[in-house]
């Protein structure tokens, strides 16, 4: 089984930065690892994802392009989400998610972390 451990998050003022990290352990075959978010009364949305077998392959939601950067560290099964120029609309619970790349954005087959709160005011 795959397990995800998240860290980071917190509160920041508009325009500030935060960094989230997610470490995956266990069996991680060809997979995509990244972040979703869900704000109160809104649908869950994919934010950013990285292909574990090729850390240069990264994909972003249009709403965060140019502000967020997802990267893979030397541990390979850990990804970091650097969030810059944060806006109040970025406030949400952020969930780390790992799954097959073909279905990652749908979220249907992903394994999920417990979530970490990001608040921008």
């Amino acid at each position: 089984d795959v397990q995800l451990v998240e860290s980071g998050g917190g509160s920041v003022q508009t325009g500030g930065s935060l960094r989230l990290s997610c470490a995956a352990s266990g069996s991680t075959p060809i997979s995509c690892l990244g972040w979703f978010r869900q704000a109160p009364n809104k649908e869950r949305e994919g934010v950013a994802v990285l292909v574990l077998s090729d850390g240069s392959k990264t994909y972003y939601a249009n709403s965060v392009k140019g502000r967020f950067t997802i990267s893979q560290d030397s541990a390979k099964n850990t990804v970091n989400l650097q969030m810059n120029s944060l806006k109040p609309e970025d406030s949400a619970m952020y969930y780390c998610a790992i799954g097959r790349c073909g279905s990652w954005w749908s979220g249907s087959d992903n394994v999920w972390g417990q979530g970490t709160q990001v608040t921008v005011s």
Side-chain angles (χ1 to χ4, degrees):
D1 292 347
V2 175
Q3 291 188 329
L4 302 175
V5 178
E6 302 157 330
S7 61
S11 297
V12 67
Q13 292 186 336
T14 299
S17 299
L18 286 172
R19 181 180 175 93
L20 306 180
S21 293
C22 177
S25 61
S27 177
T28 55
I30 300 174
S31 295
C32 279
L33 178 61
W35 297 88
F36 280 75
R37 68 185 180 186
Q38 187 167 22
N41 301 317
K42 291 190 176 181
E43 292 188 358
R44 180 182 63 193
E45 65 169 342
V47 175
V49 66
L50 178 147
V51 179
L52 287 175
S53 60
D54 184 350
S56 67
K57 292 183 179 178
T58 58
Y59 304 93
Y60 299 90
N62 287 334
S63 58
V64 306
K65 280 182 182 177
R67 300 188 298 120
F68 290 13
T69 302
I70 191 168
S71 62
Q72 185 179 32
D73 72 8
S74 59
K76 297 300 183 184
N77 282 356
T78 297
V79 295
N80 305 300
L81 184 67
Q82 180 65 40
M83 306 184 292
N84 298 329
S85 302
L86 283 162
K87 306 174 182 180
E89 51 263 43
D90 294 316
S91 296
M93 186 70 79
Y94 282 68
Y95 296 92
C96 182
I98 189 170
R100 290 175 292 180
C101 294
S103 60
W104 188 89
W105 287 98
S106 75
S108 58
D109 294 323
N110 292 346
V111 174
W112 300 91
Q114 291 187 331
T116 185
Q117 180 68 39
V118 171
T119 303
V120 185
S121 59

